[in-house]
Amino acid sequence: MTARSDGGQQAPSNREYAVDLMRAFGGAVIFAFPLVMTMEMWWLGFYMDPLRLFIFLALNLAILFGLSCFAGFRDTFSLKEDALDAFAAYGVGIVASAALLTLLGIVTGEMAMDEILGKIAVQAVPASIGAMAARGQLGDSEDEDDKKDKGGYAGQLFLMVAGALLLAFSVAPTEEMILISFLMTPWHGLALVLVSVVMLHAFVYSLEFSGQEKLPGHGSVWRTFFSYSIAGYGIAVLVSLYVLWTFGRLDGAGPAQIAMMTAVLGFPAALGAALARLVV
């Protein structure tokens, strides 16, 4: 460890940074592997609209930057370090995804370069989030609660966005998600919305999970419910709509079908929003 001159903080040694990177690779593989085994994910980078793909990748970098501020794969002491770690996490995600896709024969040398790059770029999104969250999952998270608390209410909502995006992204490309939305009646959709809200609230505040949130401030239970749980589900809905648009699921769909697909995708998105605040 070498001492910093701007406040007494200590920068990590090369060995410590190498350990952090290896832990990040572990997180990337854990998060990416289930999606690497999904056929729909193999084609996303090939048929996605280039502009939507670019926006999605840019948003991923912004998410990684925010995660580095609150719960990065190593201690950081400045916005510059957080930005560098965001790029490092995405780099780890790219390398891990390329290695897995090649190992499984999903990417081969006979493929066109744009297809190879597209597949790796899309798979690198969950892998990079896994790399950034690796410290909380695989490392020493002793100080993580203090780090997250610095973000206050906005920071908690941001973590919900990251968690909702990750789980919504893992489900949205599948045909089963579309099939479920056709099989369900409007009453099923309404019930699923209510279950999603109750589940989000229960996961974070009612069940005794490690890392569970305390009721913030001195507000009432109802104030907490509307400020966090309802707001969290609103985030899940917005993230679901964005992911559906990114993957072209909204193209040509009517309002009723869009509402049903959003309700279906909002369920895993709400679960992701709740779990992100517990495990990131």
Side-chain angles (χ1 to χ4, degrees):
M1 301 280 284
T2 58
R4 291 172 56 98
S5 60
D6 56 349
Q9 299 283 8
Q10 291 184 324
S13 66
N14 290 336
R15 180 183 179 280
E16 289 172 326
Y17 186 66
V19 171
D20 289 333
L21 280 180
M22 292 304 297
R23 186 184 297 135
F25 270 102
V29 171
I30 291 172
F31 273 65
F33 192 77
L35 295 177
V36 169
M37 305 293 287
T38 304
M39 184 174 63
E40 290 88 352
M41 288 294 297
W42 304 346
W43 296 101
L44 270 180
F46 184 67
Y47 72 72
M48 277 181 66
D49 177 78
L51 177 60
R52 297 184 188 187
L53 178 58
F54 174 80
I55 294 174
F56 187 59
L57 298 180
L59 176 63
N60 181 56
L61 279 173
I63 294 290
L64 292 176
F65 174 77
L67 287 177
S68 181
C69 293
F70 296 114
F73 65 85
R74 68 184 182 104
D75 285 327
T76 54
F77 308 111
S78 69
L79 293 179
K80 179 181 177 180
E81 289 187 351
D82 287 323
L84 291 175
D85 277 6
F87 283 103
Y90 194 61
V92 168
I94 291 173
V95 174
S97 298
L100 285 174
L101 291 169
T102 302
L103 180 65
L104 298 175
I106 300 169
V107 164
T108 65
E110 290 76 23
M111 293 180 176
M113 185 56 64
D114 59 341
E115 181 179 356
I116 294 175
L117 294 178
K119 287 182 177 180
I120 294 174
V122 172
Q123 293 283 1
V125 171
S128 62
I129 295 177
M132 190 62 76
R135 186 181 180 201
Q137 295 303 300
L138 305 176
D140 181 7
S141 57
E142 181 179 347
D143 298 325
E144 286 303 293
D145 288 338
D146 292 337
K147 195 173 185 183
K148 287 191 290 184
D149 287 343
K150 293 179 182 178
Y153 180 66
Q156 295 296 320
L157 295 185
F158 171 80
L159 291 178
M160 286 186 170
V161 172
L165 181 65
L166 180 63
L167 279 199
F169 173 76
S170 68
V171 175
T174 65
E175 293 300 323
E176 289 81 1
M177 194 275 299
I178 301 298
L179 177 60
I180 291 172
S181 68
F182 277 110
L183 293 175
M184 292 175 61
T185 67
W187 288 109
H188 285 112
L190 179 60
L192 187 59
V193 169
L194 294 176
V195 169
S196 299
V197 174
V198 172
M199 175 197 67
L200 191 156
H201 186 74
F203 263 66
V204 179
Y205 294 109
S206 300
L207 303 180
E208 294 184 357
F209 288 106
S210 175
Q212 177 179 331
E213 293 295 323
K214 301 293 190 300
L215 290 177
H218 302 287
S220 65
V221 172
W222 284 111
R223 180 179 178 182
T224 300
F225 178 76
F226 284 103
S227 297
Y228 284 83
S229 301
I230 294 298
Y233 186 70
I235 287 172
V237 168
L238 293 177
V239 168
S240 298
L241 284 170
Y242 168 72
V243 172
L244 289 169
W245 172 80
T246 298
F247 296 158
R249 297 299 195 183
L250 301 184
D251 298 348
Q257 184 181 357
I258 291 174
M260 195 63 70
M261 286 191 295
T262 303
V264 172
L265 192 57
F267 180 76
L271 179 61
L275 291 178
R277 302 173 64 205
L278 295 170
V279 302
V280 172

